[in-house]
């Protein structure tokens, strides 16, 4: 038997400019602001999972690299992913 995905009420304070952007996006897509927030959060979670997977894939390539130039290049890329440009 399948269980319903029960919603959990969560209170979040948003900066005024972010709240205005959410309302504008929701209006454009004909959604409620609440539904727009849910979609943005779901998309953000998926993006974070994807970013983590890319990092782990890069770390695996770094560990298995034997060419010193590859090691340096991959290490630099990992550093940029962790610490930014």
């Amino acid at each position: 038997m399948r269980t319903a995905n029960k919603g959990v009420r969560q209170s979040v304070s948003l900066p005024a400019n972010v709240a205005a952007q959410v309302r504008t996006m929701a209006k454009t897509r004909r959604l409620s602001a609440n539904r727009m927030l849910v979609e943005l959060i779901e998309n953000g979670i998926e993006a974070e999972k994807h970013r983590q997977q890319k990092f782990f894939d890069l770390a695996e390539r770094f560990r298995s690299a034997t060419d010193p130039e590859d090691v340096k290049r991959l290490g630099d890329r990992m550093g940029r992913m962790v610490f930014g440009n």
Side-chain angles (χ1 to χ4, degrees):
M1 182 185 239
R2 188 171 163 220
T3 60
N5 192 1
K6 185 177 178 182
V8 175
R9 188 155 183 83
Q10 182 75 44
S11 176
V12 177
S13 295
L14 300 174
N17 63 330
V18 173
Q21 287 178 322
V22 169
R23 284 191 301 271
T24 300
M25 292 171 73
K27 189 174 185 180
T28 302
R29 294 187 53 196
R30 294 182 150 167
L31 299 172
S32 68
N34 185 69
R35 183 65 210 156
M36 190 73 240
L37 282 169
V38 170
E39 287 191 14
L40 289 169
I41 292 167
E42 288 172 342
N43 291 342
I45 290 169
E46 285 302 312
E48 180 63 20
K49 286 179 183 177
H50 180 71
R51 187 191 67 77
Q52 286 178 350
Q53 187 59 50
K54 281 179 64 176
F55 178 79
F56 291 136
D57 292 345
L58 182 60
E60 183 59 36
R61 287 177 48 206
F62 177 77
R63 280 196 302 258
S64 64
T66 55
D67 180 36
E69 288 183 25
D70 282 343
V71 170
K72 179 169 177 17
R73 183 179 52 80
L74 293 169
D76 289 345
R77 281 182 60 190
M78 284 179 61
R80 281 192 302 276
M81 287 181 83
V82 172
F83 301 111
N85 292 337

